């Protein structure tokens, strides 16, 4: 019996049972699925972090609701951390209207910041 058990350990992979190969393929498929979900989890974690930063920086305790959507007319870099850098043609979600000419917006990456109304095109 000991001899039979030892011989199984050194057998080449191509001599393994067909069922074992199917089992390996199913595990590989599951790994691919979980990798996709892992990247989505990382993205949602990053968005939660951005939301927490937004609430602390802007002292925003209301529920975050999208009032309107707008498209950026031109590219504007941010001078401060609270300003949202935008690129021309980017779609933004308007969260809140502030006093003056700025609105609080969120971009597709989940980042929040002030954007001047003159740079936005509302449909």
């Amino acid at each position: 019996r000991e001899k039979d058990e030892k011989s199984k350990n050194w057998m080449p992979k191509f001599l393994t049972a067909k069922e074992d190969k199917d089992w390996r393929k199913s595990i590989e498929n599951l790994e691919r699925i979980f990798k996709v979900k892992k990247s989505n989890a990382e993205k949602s974690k990053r968005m939660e972090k951005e939301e927490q930063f937004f609430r602390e920086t802007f002292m925003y305790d209301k529920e975050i609701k999208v009032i309107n959507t707008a498209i950026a007319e031109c590219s504007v870099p941010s001078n401060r951390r609270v300003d949202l850098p935008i690129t021309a043609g980017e779609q933004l979600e308007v969260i809140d209207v502030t006093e003056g000419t700025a609105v609080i917006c969120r971009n597709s990456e989940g980042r929040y910041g002030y954007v001047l109304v003159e740079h936005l095109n509302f449909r």
Side-chain angles (χ1 to χ4, degrees), residues 73-101:
E73 290 183 339
C74 58
S75 298
V76 179
S78 66
N79 297 331
R80 306 174 296 168
R81 174 65 172 112
V82 294
D83 293 334
L84 184 64
I86 57 174
T87 56
E90 181 180 15
Q91 185 172 357
L92 302 170
E93 298 174 338
V94 179
I95 304 298
D96 200 0
V97 179
T98 61
E99 295 178 14
T101 60

Side-chain angles (χ1 to χ4, degrees), residues 2-123:
E2 292 176 17
K3 200 173 192 181
D4 292 337
E5 289 177 10
K6 288 180 182 178
S7 64
K8 287 182 181 178
N9 292 339
W10 62 266
M11 286 183 70
K13 289 184 179 179
F14 63 88
L15 294 179
T16 58
K18 191 173 186 178
E19 294 171 359
D20 292 339
K21 291 179 183 177
D22 292 338
W23 181 74
R24 285 188 205 127
K25 287 180 183 177
S26 65
I27 288 177
E28 289 172 1
N29 289 338
L30 286 174
E31 287 174 353
R32 285 188 209 129
I33 291 169
F34 286 124
K35 284 181 184 176
V36 171
K37 288 186 178 181
K38 185 177 179 182
S39 66
N40 288 341
E42 290 173 4
K43 187 175 181 180
S44 65
K45 195 180 279 187
R46 183 175 53 224
M47 291 182 83
E48 286 176 10
K49 188 177 179 181
E50 285 290 337
E51 182 179 335
Q52 182 181 3
F53 175 80
F54 164 70
R55 288 189 181 278
E56 291 172 0
T57 306
F58 292 82
M59 291 180 263
Y60 197 84
D61 57 351
K62 303 180 221 173
E63 183 182 350
I64 297 175
K65 290 184 180 178
V66 178
I67 298 171
N68 201 349
T69 57
I71 305 236
E73 290 183 339
C74 58
S75 298
V76 179
S78 66
N79 297 331
R80 306 174 296 168
R81 174 65 172 112
V82 294
D83 293 334
L84 184 64
I86 57 174
T87 56
E90 181 180 15
Q91 185 172 357
L92 302 170
E93 298 174 338
V94 179
I95 304 298
D96 200 0
V97 179
T98 61
E99 295 178 14
T101 60
V103 292
I104 298 174
C105 293
R106 176 175 60 197
N107 64 6
S108 60
E109 297 172 0
R111 191 165 173 203
Y112 297 85
Y114 289 117
V115 179
L116 294 177
V117 176
E118 60 196 42
H119 299 302
L120 299 175
N121 180 15
F122 295 94
R123 292 185 179 180

